Each structure stands twice: as C-alpha cells, then as structure tokens.
Amino acid sequence: MTSRATAVTEARPLEHRAFLFGGLDDFLSRAVPFVRDGLDDDGREVVVVVAEPRLTALRDHFPGCADDMFIDASMFYSHPVRTLRSYLELVKAKDPKRVHALAEPVWRREWTERETLEWARYESLINEVFKGTGASALCPYDTYTLPPRILEHARRTHPRLVQGSTETRNERFTEPEAFSAEADRARVFPTPRESDYLPVASHDLHELRRWVGDRSERHGLSRQDAQNLVTAVNEVAANALRHGIPPVGVRLWTEDADLVCEVGDNGYWRDFSPLVGFVPPRTALDNGFGLWTVRLLVDLVEVRAGWDGTFVRMRLRR
C-alpha cells in the first residue's frame, strides 16, 4: 500500500543562474552546451528565449529542432507580470517534464528607472514563483553592452553566477521579499496639486467606472487600455471599501507619457507583504488575487502601505 507521503510529488529545487558573457562567441561557448544538455535529458523540455542576433546564431547550431523551441526575447519580455504568467503557463504545459530555459531578459535604454526596477524585481520573483518546479534557467547578461546597474541587478537576483567556464555561488544574492521591499523603499510618491479627485463612499461603483473611463479616453488612452484601467480601479476601490478605513478616494493625473490613477484609504495594511500581487494565487480566495489581476491589466502598479493609509497607484502609457 502506497503511503500518503510517497504519493505526493516532492518539490524540486529551481536552478536560477545569471550568465555573464562578453560578445557572441563567449555567449555560444556556454549557451550551446546548456541547450544540448537539456535536449539530452528526457525529463526536460528546452525553451530558448533570447534576443537577436544571438537567437539566429543559436538556432543554426540546432537545425533539427522545432521552430517553436526558439522565441524572440524582444517579443516575449513585454510586461513583467504578463511574462511571469507566460512562463507559468509554459511550466504547466510541459509538466511532468521540467522546463530547461535559456532566458535572456530584455533591457531597453529608453526605459525609466521605474520600469528598469520592475524588470529587476521580475528576475528576483523568479526565485519565489518557480521554486519547487525543478525548472532550470540560465539568464544571459551581455557585459559588453549592458550598463553596470543592470549587471548589479543580475548579481542581486540570481543565486548562482556563471562566467566563462566557472559557476559560483552568488554572495550578492538577495531574497525576493527583501529585494522587493528595498525596491519599494527607493520610490517616492509625490501627488501633484493638479489632479482630478473623486470621493468613493458607496459600494455601487457605477459612477466611479464612468468617471475613470471618461477621463482615461480624454487623456489619450486607447479604448482597450481605458477599459483595463476601469476594471483595475474598480477592483482596487472595491477592496478598499471592503477592507480599508474611510475616506476612500480616487485621484487621476498625467505624468509625462503616463496616465496615473491612485486609490487611497485611511487604513493601515498590517500584514502587507512586498510580494503581494506578484506571486500568482492558486485560487480566487487567496490573498493577493485581486492585485495579481490588477497588475496584469495595467503597465505598472505601485503600493504604499503605512500609518497614513494605503495607496495603490496604477500607471498606463498613453
């Protein structure tokens, strides 16, 4: 008779490594063996998500492999939380095989410091979201082209470092919760004097949805983005009315290319975690389910929880 302990699949550790390379030849010297090791292991499923020209160069080394094994990173890495969801779907689709991913995050020069920090947080979250899956991820970072602050993010968010033929334990690694808390502390939350404001006192949020929708389109959001923001604000406001302390209010303003909408209440979120809404919930009843959905709908969500109240700020590029 099989015991309950042996019937349950044991959690398998995640392998998450930063691969620091300089130039194409150095990249291929490590990437090709990594992909080949995955292909030779019947228990693994290989996925290659890298940027050009490295994608084509790597594909040329494996002419017999299916095209869908190779994914252009510039298309895949478009939004931190949506990319997390895509990898989760991939891991689920390949189960019981373990995903063996060469996964190169994309870092764009035109990103603001706020956007760059969210992608660094994404790399940190990999350690939390995929722990116990047995997945293996090698994340390439080009030391010839990436600025020092990005390479520093790599060292903070990966438990192990690979450079040349050497793999070492990363002494600079910071646990995801601590990394996210540090990222939040680095932010400032100024609210402009000129902002539209709507007090929210009723659980009937029809007026709030109309108010946000009208202003979103007036400020240049597409119809789909405006609808996404309406849905996101409705979710956050309903949660503030249910769990927060009055007064509850919504502010909306423009900031450079962004439309910003903030829901605030006077309550103190005692059990707030910097990972809330980043780690996907298992059910709709789990803590953070609503905020996970909100993060998928808009470009960026920032949360400030203190003694002066709880504020959820949502951004969408106009």
Side-chain angles (χ1 to χ4, degrees):
M1 179 174 166
T2 304
S3 70
R4 180 178 178 82
T6 57
V8 176
T9 303
E10 290 185 5
R12 297 168 292 188
L14 166 73
E15 298 173 12
H16 190 209
R17 292 163 285 185
F19 167 33
L20 307 181
F21 70 93
L24 183 59
D25 289 342
D26 192 19
F27 169 79
L28 292 172
S29 70
R30 188 75 182 207
V32 170
F34 176 82
V35 173
R36 187 172 290 123
D37 286 347
L39 292 172
D40 291 342
D41 187 338
D42 289 338
R44 294 190 179 272
E45 192 77 25
V46 176
V47 180
V48 175
V49 188
V50 299
E52 295 289 5
R54 291 178 287 279
L55 183 65
T56 295
L58 196 57
R59 192 196 302 262
D60 290 344
H61 280 78
F62 300 96
C65 292
D67 285 343
D68 62 2
M69 189 179 95
F70 300 91
I71 302 171
D72 187 343
S74 64
M75 303 297 292
F76 196 81
Y77 287 87
S78 59
H79 181 287
V81 182
R82 292 173 198 156
T83 300
L84 269 179
R85 180 182 60 181
S86 295
Y87 272 126
L88 280 165
E89 291 170 348
L90 191 63
V91 167
K92 184 177 180 180
K94 303 301 183 182
D95 189 64
K97 290 191 174 183
R98 292 166 289 164
V99 168
H100 188 77
L102 186 65
E104 179 183 13
V106 174
W107 304 93
R108 304 187 192 280
R109 293 184 183 277
E110 67 271 19
W111 281 348
T112 64
E113 184 59 31
R114 180 182 284 111
E115 290 170 307
T116 299
L117 190 57
E118 282 307 294
W119 278 107
R121 193 200 302 260
Y122 156 84
E123 280 283 42
S124 177
L125 287 166
I126 292 292
N127 300 288
E128 179 69 25
V129 174
F130 295 95
K131 66 181 181 182
T133 65
S136 176
L138 185 67
C139 305
Y141 285 77
D142 190 346
T143 59
Y144 284 2
T145 61
L146 293 173
R149 63 192 176 97
I150 301 301
L151 300 177
E152 176 62 14
H153 285 322
R155 292 182 174 94
R156 298 285 307 284
T157 57
H158 295 77
R160 300 191 68 80
L161 292 179
V162 174
Q163 196 161 16
S165 59
T166 304
E167 179 175 334
T168 59
R169 181 174 176 270
N170 180 14
E171 300 296 338
R172 297 297 311 281
F173 174 66
T174 303
E175 292 293 341
E177 186 160 359
F179 186 89
S180 276
E182 184 180 317
D184 289 339
R185 284 195 299 272
R187 290 195 169 131
V188 293
F189 280 79
T191 301
R193 291 175 180 270
E194 300 298 323
S195 61
D196 293 341
Y197 179 76
L198 179 71
V200 182
S202 169
H203 286 268
D204 180 1
L205 298 177
H206 175 77
E207 173 61 21
L208 170 64
R209 292 191 293 270
R210 185 196 62 78
W211 186 87
V212 173
D214 288 349
R215 281 160 178 74
S216 296
E217 293 197 34
R218 189 186 310 162
H219 284 298
L221 288 190
S222 68
R223 179 162 294 183
Q224 182 59 61
D225 282 345
Q227 183 56 54
N228 285 352
L229 182 59
V230 168
T231 303
V233 173
N234 186 86
E235 173 66 30
V236 176
N239 194 65
L241 289 168
R242 189 179 308 118
H243 301 291
I245 295 176
V248 176
V250 179
R251 293 188 182 275
L252 187 145
W253 67 91
T254 59
E255 187 176 300
D256 299 324
D258 291 346
L259 180 66
V260 186
C261 191
E262 179 180 272
V263 178
D265 72 82
N266 204 39
Y268 177 59
W269 191 344
R270 293 183 180 277
D271 59 349
F272 174 75
S273 163
L275 298 184
V276 68
F278 283 113
V279 179
R282 289 173 301 227
T283 74
L285 298 178
D286 285 357
N287 183 37
F289 176 83
L291 201 52
W292 164 258
T293 304
V294 170
R295 292 191 193 279
L296 290 169
L297 287 168
V298 302
D299 291 335
L300 178 63
V301 177
E302 299 168 293
V303 181
R304 179 165 63 88
W307 291 107
D308 60 337
T310 299
F311 303 88
V312 179
R313 186 169 291 189
M314 293 153 277
R315 294 176 176 269
L316 272 165
R317 184 64 54 89
R318 293 185 288 163

